[in-house]
């Protein structure tokens, strides 16, 4: 936010009308069984970054998440279910990094989420997700370091622009994790 907008955003948040995400969130980069990264275009009517393509889903942490021993995994699994309809038992999380979104000062915890569905299966499943209307389109790219870096460098290219501002960092972190996981 521009410095002149900050007081307005703070006043709106304290009045119960936040213009940005909450103070702590989990972000999940979702990789399908057929090794595709899920891209989601945020709906035109969402509060933050409408119509931007995101390399992750974002889920605000809630008090119930903190009652478990692994609050990050719980919040991430809740998010993949709410956003894409994936049952929690059919997803596995791997923590990648913590980051701060400078524009919003939002603390976020990034995890890779491996799901037990292929990309074509996920498209059907996502239609019935509890928060299905948060994304108006879902697409896939190869979950390969070179493809992820090319997508980030191009800002989404012709098919996935505009790219959410923090997606480039998320794509790079996933690319590094994929490289480290290679035998």
């Amino acid at each position: 936010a521009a410095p002149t907008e900050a007081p307005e955003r703070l006043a709106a948040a304290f009045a119960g009308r936040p213009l940005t995400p909450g103070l702590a969130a989990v972000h999940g980069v979702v990789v399908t069984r057929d090794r595709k990264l899920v891209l989601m275009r945020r709906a035109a009517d969402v509060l933050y970054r409408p119509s931007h393509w995101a390399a992750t889903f974002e889920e605000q942490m809630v008090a119930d998440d903190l009652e478990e021993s692994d609050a990050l995994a719980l919040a991430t699994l809740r998010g993949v279910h709410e956003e894409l309809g994936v049952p929690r038992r059919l997803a596995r999380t791997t923590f990648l990094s913590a980051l701060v979104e400078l524009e919003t000062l939002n603390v976020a915890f990034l995890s890779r989420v491996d799901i037990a569905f292929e990309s074509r299966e996920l498209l059907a499943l996502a239609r019935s997700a509890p928060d299905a209307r948060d994304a108006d389109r879902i697409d896939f790219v190869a979950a390969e370091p070179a493809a992820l870096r090319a997508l980030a460098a191009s800002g989404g290219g012709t098919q996935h622009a505009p790219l959410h501002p923090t997606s480039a960092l998320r794509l790079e972190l996933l690319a590094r994790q994929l490289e480290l996981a290679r035998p």
Side-chain angles (χ1 to χ4, degrees):
T4 57
E5 295 175 5
E8 293 171 15
R9 286 185 179 208
L10 285 173
F14 284 113
R17 299 180 317 276
L19 299 176
T20 60
L23 295 179
V26 293
H27 296 180
V29 288
V30 180
V31 178
T32 62
R33 191 173 62 215
D34 55 344
R35 298 200 41 89
K36 304 285 185 186
L37 171 74
V38 178
L39 294 172
M40 300 168 60
R41 187 173 67 188
R42 299 169 60 80
D45 63 347
V46 297
L47 184 62
Y48 186 68
R49 296 292 177 182
S51 301
H52 280 66
W53 283 92
T56 60
F57 66 82
E58 300 172 16
E59 192 64 38
Q60 298 305 304
M61 294 188 75
V62 297
D64 289 348
D65 297 330
L66 303 176
E67 294 178 13
E68 295 294 324
S69 61
D70 192 345
L72 298 179
L74 181 66
T76 303
L77 293 173
R78 178 174 50 81
V80 78
H81 171 72
E82 290 177 6
E83 299 290 332
L84 295 169
V86 175
R88 296 174 190 184
R89 70 185 189 292
L90 297 176
R92 188 182 85 241
T93 66
T94 305
F95 176 75
L96 298 179
S97 184
L99 54 103
V100 174
E101 293 185 61
L102 295 179
E103 180 180 341
T104 62
L105 296 180
N106 186 273
V107 176
F109 302 96
L110 177 66
S111 292
R112 174 179 169 171
V113 184
D114 290 284
I115 62 172
F117 295 94
E118 292 190 1
S119 50
R120 61 181 165 69
E121 296 169 317
L122 183 62
L123 284 175
L125 184 65
R127 289 187 196 108
S128 62
D131 292 341
R133 63 180 299 275
D134 286 353
D136 64 10
R137 190 162 164 223
I138 296 174
D139 203 1
F140 305 92
V141 295
E144 297 296 330
L148 301 175
R149 288 184 174 120
L151 180 65
S154 70
T158 58
Q159 291 184 314
H160 303 109
L163 200 57
H164 187 286
T166 60
S167 284
L169 175 60
R170 298 171 197 179
L171 291 165
E172 177 58 30
L173 289 168
L174 178 59
R176 288 182 188 182
Q177 193 268 342
L178 290 168
E179 289 171 338
L180 291 173
R182 284 189 178 151

